[in-house]
Amino acid sequence: MISLAMQQVGQRVGQRGVAAWAQPGALLWTRTHRPAAFARHVSYCRGDKGTVLLEHSQQHLLQASTSSHMADHPDGLLQQLADTDPLPSTATVRMTAAEAAGLRTPPTNARMLTRDFIHTSLYHPGYGYFSKNAYIFSPPEPIQFNAMRDNYAFMNHLGQLYKDLEDEYIHAHDIARQVWHTPTELFRPYYGYAIAKHVVDQFKLDPRGADCIVLYEIGAGNGTLMTNILDYIAQHEPALYRTVEYNIIEISTKLAGRQERASSARRQLTARHPGVRIVNKSIFEWDQPVQEPCFFIAMEVIDNFAHDMVRYDIATNEPRQGVVLVGDDGNYLEAYEPLTDPLIKRYLDVRSQAGYQSPVLSPSLRVRAQRALLPFAANMTEPEFVPTMALVLMDRLATFFPNHRLVIADFDRLPDAVPGVDAPVVQTRYQGKMVACSTYLVQPGWFDIFFPTNFELLRDVYRAVTGRQADVVTQHDFLRKNADLPATSTKSGENPMLSFYENFKFITS
């Protein structure tokens, strides 16, 4: 392997690639990546400030011998694959995320679909990012927006809070604590109040005339949104509050606090709001029918749903599914094979029936033929990440929550994503600095991997699966309709709750 170290952060490490022929029937376009241990810092990443050592592994670009062209080197050069590490054989064992969950360490000699690799990296019960390293930042007290001069003063205040937190928890040799924030925490309680007002208004308009408000929230984190919603209903709708049933479905117990504090935190929450029930399981494992009308809430959750990756044959537009090959030495290779996975197939079929066509596809046979004649032309399109686990969520809603009303909010676009359509941002914090990475093939458990959502497409898939109508609105418009905006306005009239998180959208039904 070839390793490069670079001291000056802020400068992107250049890719190095190698083109080669493969045996007939081999996997198409594989690339290798060796995840660096933190003793050697992070692998092929870009930092914003400070000095970080970066390590970049040589990349292998491999085409099947049935192709008429060799792969194009990212730097415009072609080299023969010579003295490099051998690629893992096709004898690697297929492994799902469920099977990997039974292992105490990251798997080796395995072949995993992209979604299984990402899901394991994020949610493995032992070493996954959300099981071990995630810490949701929450200001110690609600921010007094009316006392601040403007948005700039708010940013300075937020920066100081972050610094105080990291001075307390993040030490030079402690990289286990990964801090991130959400609009629910930054703008509490007013952001949660806006969600509560929407819920109450929709409940009153519901022609089914339910006797009580039943809510299910997934990915509740610290429980802040739940507390704010229930506080609002108790204050403004005391009669309704006495009927509220609030159910939290949370895969990670540690997101409510440190493990030893989780039981105490739950007792405090249920004592304050007796209608609360907390279920520690994944929504993807939910198997209890909920027949009564209910609200299903997911705030900044679906961005961390694992995605699959597909690429299309340039000549035929046939899709190929992405897999991650894990060698016995911990090397990762990104590879593509004929599409066989039923879930990927179904997602592509559902969105096609909804009238969606991938932006990487060329509809014209003539254009595809012309591309194939170009010197050193690639034989596949750029990668496309597809939200197959979001489809599983839609299935769960249709099967087990047939009378739900949906409230989902998340990112609709993200900067600094890895290459590809609807590609994720992969990042970690190292010595107090955010480090963005150029690949999702990173050490499992140490990196947040989160995706943008095409909300208009999600709406269409939701409609096709559940048969229910849904609306998509920007967060700005949702808050203008439902939020107490004077409470979050600064002295200058600027409103951080409106101007921050402009890349958020809501889907409601």
Side-chain angles (χ1 to χ4, degrees):
M1 304 294 289
I2 297 176
S3 296
L4 301 177
M6 187 177 71
Q7 296 284 347
Q8 188 64 37
V9 175
Q11 177 181 357
R12 186 182 294 271
V13 180
Q15 293 185 340
R16 292 177 176 267
V18 179
W21 298 107
Q23 296 300 317
L27 301 168
L28 296 181
W29 278 69
T30 64
R31 64 180 182 182
T32 184
H33 186 91
R34 186 187 187 98
F38 270 96
R40 297 175 301 180
H41 304 282
V42 295
S43 48
Y44 188 27
C45 299
R46 186 187 69 234
D48 49 0
K49 296 179 181 177
T51 300
V52 178
L53 283 175
L54 305 181
E55 181 175 67
H56 172 46
S57 297
Q58 186 179 37
Q59 294 194 351
H60 302 160
L61 299 180
L62 180 66
Q63 280 189 304
S65 61
T66 54
S67 172
S68 59
H69 300 291
M70 297 177 67
D72 188 13
H73 188 288
D75 296 326
L77 301 174
L78 285 174
Q79 302 177 13
Q80 264 323 100
L81 183 61
D83 187 20
T84 58
D85 291 343
L87 301 177
S89 72
T90 56
T92 52
V93 177
R94 288 208 177 260
M95 184 175 293
T96 66
E99 292 166 337
L103 304 178
R104 300 185 63 180
T105 59
T108 57
N109 292 319
R111 176 185 302 211
M112 306 178 75
L113 287 168
T114 303
R115 72 168 181 268
D116 289 315
F117 177 82
I118 293 175
H119 185 91
T120 299
S121 297
L122 294 176
Y123 299 108
H124 187 279
Y127 56 78
Y129 175 81
F130 287 105
S131 303
K132 183 175 68 171
N133 294 326
Y135 180 91
I136 301 177
F137 170 75
S138 182
E141 299 292 337
I143 296 174
Q144 302 301 312
F145 297 96
N146 295 160
M148 294 184 173
R149 183 182 68 252
D150 51 21
N151 281 351
Y152 187 74
F154 167 74
M155 292 176 63
N156 285 339
H157 177 69
L158 192 60
Q160 185 59 49
L161 291 177
Y162 243 89
K163 183 179 184 302
D164 293 344
L165 176 71
E166 291 188 326
D167 287 345
E168 181 178 358
Y169 290 108
I170 310 296
H171 306 291
H173 302 292
D174 176 17
I175 57 174
R177 184 73 66 175
Q178 303 296 317
V179 184
W180 48 290
H181 56 76
T182 69
T184 297
E185 299 290 349
L186 295 188
F187 304 114
R188 82 175 201 271
Y190 308 108
Y191 192 86
Y193 286 178
I195 308 298
K197 182 179 181 300
H198 169 81
V199 167
V200 170
D201 290 347
Q202 295 302 311
F203 176 80
K204 290 180 177 180
L205 293 173
D206 194 331
R208 294 171 292 186
D211 296 326
C212 58
I213 298 182
V214 179
L215 304 101
Y216 285 81
E217 182 187 358
I218 62 172
N222 293 338
T224 301
L225 180 64
M226 177 206 68
T227 302
N228 296 158
I229 288 176
L230 293 178
D231 285 346
Y232 177 92
I233 299 175
Q235 179 180 350
H236 296 277
E237 302 285 347
L240 283 179
Y241 175 74
R242 288 190 288 270
T243 73
V244 169
E245 299 176 13
Y246 204 112
N247 304 275
I248 288 178
I249 305 172
E250 176 59 72
I251 189 174
S252 172
T253 56
K254 288 195 175 183
L255 284 182
R258 287 184 180 271
Q259 185 66 40
E260 59 267 24
R261 297 202 313 249
S263 296
S264 175
R266 291 185 182 190
R267 285 194 297 269
Q268 293 176 15
L269 289 172
T270 53
R272 179 173 177 179
H273 296 294
V276 172
R277 181 173 68 113
I278 301 176
V279 182
N280 185 205
K281 70 187 304 181
S282 168
I283 184 59
F284 302 121
E285 300 171 354
W286 188 268
D287 56 1
Q288 300 297 316
V290 178
Q291 298 298 337
E292 66 263 37
C294 63
F295 290 87
F296 191 91
I297 301 173
M299 308 302 294
E300 201 171 335
V301 174
I302 62 173
D303 61 316
N304 284 121
F305 280 4
H307 285 46
D308 276 291
M309 186 193 292
V310 296
R311 294 175 80 169
Y312 298 86
D313 187 290
I314 289 293
T316 66
N317 276 358
E318 288 296 317
R320 297 186 181 274
Q321 63 192 29
V323 294
V324 176
L325 306 181
V326 188
D328 57 5
D329 56 357
N331 274 0
Y332 298 140
L333 289 112
E334 180 183 285
Y336 295 85
E337 60 188 13
L339 177 58
T340 59
D341 179 68
L343 183 58
I344 302 177
K345 283 184 175 180
R346 180 163 171 257
Y347 178 81
L348 296 181
D349 287 343
V350 169
R351 75 173 191 181
S352 177
Q353 292 167 10
Y356 180 85
Q357 177 172 299
S358 170
V360 304
L361 290 176
S362 173
S364 169
L365 180 62
R366 179 180 179 183
V367 171
R368 298 201 302 268
Q370 290 175 339
R371 283 180 179 176
L373 296 175
L374 294 174
F376 311 125
N379 63 349
M380 288 197 295
T381 65
E382 66 175 314
E384 180 185 8
F385 292 84
V386 293
T388 40
M389 294 309 293
L391 176 61
V392 177
L393 174 63
M394 302 299 109
D395 287 334
R396 285 290 186 270
L397 292 175
T399 302
F400 298 110
F401 302 88
N403 296 305
H404 71 274
R405 303 287 292 270
L406 194 64
V407 183
I408 289 180
D410 225 305
F411 300 102
D412 73 320
R413 59 190 186 279
L414 289 168
D416 296 326
V418 306
V421 174
D422 295 329
V425 170
V426 183
Q427 65 184 25
T428 190
R429 293 185 70 81
Y430 180 75
Q431 294 183 345
K433 306 298 180 183
M434 186 61 68
V435 182
C437 303
S438 66
T439 176
Y440 66 93
L441 298 176
V442 290
Q443 184 70 29
W446 296 109
F447 297 81
D448 192 6
I449 304 173
F450 57 105
F451 295 81
T453 295
N454 182 332
F455 273 85
E456 288 71 24
L457 176 56
L458 178 64
R459 175 198 60 205
D460 295 341
V461 171
Y462 171 78
R463 183 184 301 154
V465 174
T466 68
R468 302 175 67 87
Q469 298 298 315
D471 297 314
V472 174
V473 297
T474 64
Q475 175 164 280
H476 184 277
D477 291 344
F478 181 90
L479 293 175
R480 280 207 171 276
K481 179 179 180 180
N482 296 290
D484 179 7
L485 296 181
T488 55
S489 294
T490 62
K491 293 179 179 179
S492 69
E494 293 178 310
N495 195 314
M497 192 165 69
L498 287 180
S499 54
F500 285 70
Y501 292 95
E502 289 187 345
N503 56 336
F504 254 53
K505 283 186 177 178
F506 275 76
I507 179 172
T508 60
S509 66

